[in-house]
């Protein structure tokens, strides 16, 4: 009898627990959506964030085209510079402008409902913000086009715009497909080898982002033919050995010569060390804004690949227009 009573009591308690459980919701059930960042941290949202603080180089580009300036709380000042930013015009509509590095104290005063930071951000800073109740989403740093596409998808989920993220990635693929279709008609004998040069020297480590950018533009990256440590630069002697068909320079670069400011193009054309270069002899020197090959770590990399390909092979792109053009080239 006692055993029967115990069984009845256990069953009764179980039913009571189930009945009570129906009126309770877990944190995930209350959330509109939950995402996981690059460090494995789960972040839940009851509504889409509307005071977003995107930090880093490429993340603000992505967030801007997902949400518009209305949901962005603040941006570093340099995003209003068309030379290095793809979103300069839109960035001007964001009310608060900050320095490139924002102290935690300032972030706290801004009261963001979501902060997106690059993977290499200060971990102590991240944990401090989280301990103060700020949602921090860590974004994996992309090193190639596929990783950029994944970055777009990750960020789009974090800001509650997953479908828009898929559309942006599809737009990237359309641009890459157009480049592939156009460049497939270029004879092998006309394929070019390019070398990117900055004030510090030539760059383009094999397997790096610029190397992959060249791959998608169907151009050979001259620096990719030698072993280079990440961040290393190639001096004049190395540039001469590489014998590029085309030299790529940033339009903003200026060098000193005879106490006068001259463009980097003019400097290279008149440097005796470069007289044997095919690029110099044929005057195949291209100047593009930095954003098209030095700071391109967002979905605008697809546009950068198109601009690079059309600059190196202009005769094949005269009658073409990039699908879903994301931004024009600023003069």
């Amino acid at each position: 009898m006692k055993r029967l009573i115990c069984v009845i009591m256990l069953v009764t308690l179980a039913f009571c627990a189930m009945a009570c459980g129906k009126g309770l919701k877990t944190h995930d059930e209350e959330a509109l959506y939950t995402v996981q960042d690059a460090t494995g941290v789960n972040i839940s949202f009851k509504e889409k964030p509307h005071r977003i603080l995107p930090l880093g180089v490429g993340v603000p580009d992505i967030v801007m085209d997902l949400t518009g300036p209305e949901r962005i709380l603040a941006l570093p000042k340099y995003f209003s510079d068309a030379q290095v930013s793809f979103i300069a015009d839109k960035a001007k509509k964001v009310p608060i402008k900050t320095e490139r590095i924002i102290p935690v104290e300032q972030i706290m005063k801004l009261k963001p409902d979501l902060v997106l930071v690059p993977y290499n951000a200060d971990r102590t800073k991240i944990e401090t913000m989280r301990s103060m109740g700020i949602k921090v989403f860590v974004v994996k740093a992309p090193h190639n086009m596929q990783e950029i596409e994944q970055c777009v998808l990750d960020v789009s989920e974090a800001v509650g715009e997953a479908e828009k993220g898929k559309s942006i990635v599809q737009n990237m693929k359309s641009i890459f497909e157009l480049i592939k279709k156009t460049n497939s008609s270029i004879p092998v004998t006309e394929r070019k080898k390019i070398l990117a040069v900055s004030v510090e020297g030539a760059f383009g480590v094999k397997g790096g982002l610029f190397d992959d950018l060249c791959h998608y533009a169907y151009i050979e990256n001259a620096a990719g033919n030698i072993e280079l440590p990440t961040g290393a630069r190639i001096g004049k002697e190395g540039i001469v050995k590489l014998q590029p068909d085309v030299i790529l320079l940033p339009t903003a670069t200026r060098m000193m010569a005879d106490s006068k400011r001259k463009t980097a193009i003019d400097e290279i054309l008149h440097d005796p060390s470069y007289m044997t270069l095919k690029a110099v002899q044929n005057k195949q020197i291209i100047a593009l804004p930095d954003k098209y090959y030095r700071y391109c770590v967002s979905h605008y990399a697809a546009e950068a690949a198109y601009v690079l390909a059309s600059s190196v092979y202009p005769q094949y792109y005269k009658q073409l227009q990039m699908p879903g053009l994301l931004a024009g080239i600023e003069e």
Side-chain angles (χ1 to χ4, degrees):
M1 179 62 71
K2 288 183 178 180
R3 182 178 296 178
L4 178 60
I5 292 173
C6 287
V7 171
I8 293 172
M9 289 179 65
L10 287 172
V11 172
T12 303
L13 287 171
F15 274 110
C16 287
M18 290 174 63
C20 292
K22 290 180 180 179
L24 298 175
K25 291 184 178 180
T26 65
H27 184 66
D28 287 340
E29 289 174 337
E30 292 178 348
L32 177 65
Y33 63 95
T34 299
V35 293
Q36 187 176 87
D37 75 358
T39 62
V41 173
N42 291 322
I43 306 170
S44 296
F45 297 85
K46 293 182 179 180
E47 61 180 6
K48 294 180 181 181
H50 287 82
R51 295 176 61 82
I52 304 171
L53 182 60
L55 303 178
V57 179
V59 173
D61 290 353
I62 300 170
V63 175
M64 180 65 78
D65 287 344
L66 287 168
T67 70
E70 298 79 15
R71 289 171 58 190
I72 296 178
L73 181 60
L75 281 177
K77 297 173 184 176
Y78 69 86
F79 277 97
S80 297
D81 179 1
Q83 181 68 31
V84 296
S85 172
F86 287 97
I87 58 172
D89 289 339
K90 298 174 185 176
K92 292 173 183 176
K93 297 178 182 178
V94 175
I96 302 174
K97 303 297 188 297
T98 68
E99 298 301 323
R100 186 176 65 86
I101 298 177
I102 311 175
V104 173
E105 295 77 13
Q106 185 179 355
I107 293 176
M108 296 300 298
K109 290 179 181 179
L110 290 173
K111 297 180 180 179
D113 54 9
L114 174 63
V115 178
L116 296 106
V117 300
Y119 193 82
N120 61 352
D122 187 329
R123 285 293 186 271
T124 301
K125 187 175 180 179
I126 292 173
E127 292 308 318
T128 299
M129 288 189 286
R130 283 176 172 163
S131 68
M132 300 300 289
I134 296 177
K135 290 181 170 64
V136 181
F137 186 88
V138 180
V139 183
K140 182 180 178 181
H143 299 93
N144 54 54
M145 297 301 167
Q146 286 189 335
E147 290 183 1
I148 287 177
E149 290 179 1
Q150 187 58 52
C151 182
V152 171
L153 296 176
D154 292 343
V155 171
S156 69
E157 290 182 359
V159 301
E161 301 294 347
E163 291 306 312
K164 286 185 180 179
K166 293 175 184 177
S167 295
I168 289 176
V169 169
Q170 186 55 51
N171 181 267
M172 291 179 67
K173 293 182 183 298
S174 296
I175 295 173
F176 291 144
E177 187 59 34
L178 177 60
I179 297 172
K180 180 180 179 180
K181 182 179 178 181
T182 304
N183 287 18
S184 63
S185 63
I186 301 175
V188 176
T189 54
E190 293 184 28
R191 297 297 172 95
K192 301 291 180 68
K193 180 167 63 174
I194 196 169
L195 184 65
V197 179
S198 68
V199 175
E200 298 84 12
F203 63 93
V205 61
K206 184 177 181 180
L209 192 54
F210 179 73
D211 188 58
D212 202 43
L213 181 67
C214 289
H215 170 74
Y216 275 81
Y218 289 80
I219 304 167
E220 182 182 350
N221 170 31
N225 294 325
I226 59 176
E227 292 298 326
L228 274 178
T230 301
R233 293 293 185 267
I234 305 169
K236 287 186 179 181
E237 185 178 343
I239 291 174
V240 173
K241 287 182 179 179
L242 288 173
Q243 276 296 325
D245 299 304
V246 180
I247 290 177
L248 176 62
L249 295 168
T251 54
T253 298
R254 295 290 182 271
M255 296 182 181
M256 293 298 293
D258 299 326
S259 301
K260 295 181 180 180
R261 304 290 286 183
K262 291 187 176 182
T263 64
I265 292 178
D266 191 53
E267 183 77 5
I268 287 179
L269 284 173
H270 294 86
D271 190 326
S273 304
Y274 295 138
M275 290 299 103
T276 60
L277 290 180
K278 289 184 288 184
V280 171
Q281 292 173 356
N282 298 322
K283 295 186 177 180
Q284 290 294 298
I285 301 177
I286 298 171
L288 292 175
D290 277 345
K291 63 186 179 183
Y292 284 108
Y293 68 103
R294 296 188 71 191
Y295 306 118
C296 200
V297 288
S298 71
H299 54 296
Y300 285 100
E303 180 180 334
Y306 182 95
V307 169
L308 190 58
S310 61
S311 298
V312 173
Y313 306 116
Q315 66 274 33
Y316 292 94
Y317 284 80
K318 288 180 180 179
Q319 305 301 321
L320 294 180
Q321 183 175 1
M322 183 163 47
L325 186 64
L326 298 173
I329 303 177
E330 286 77 9
E331 297 296 336

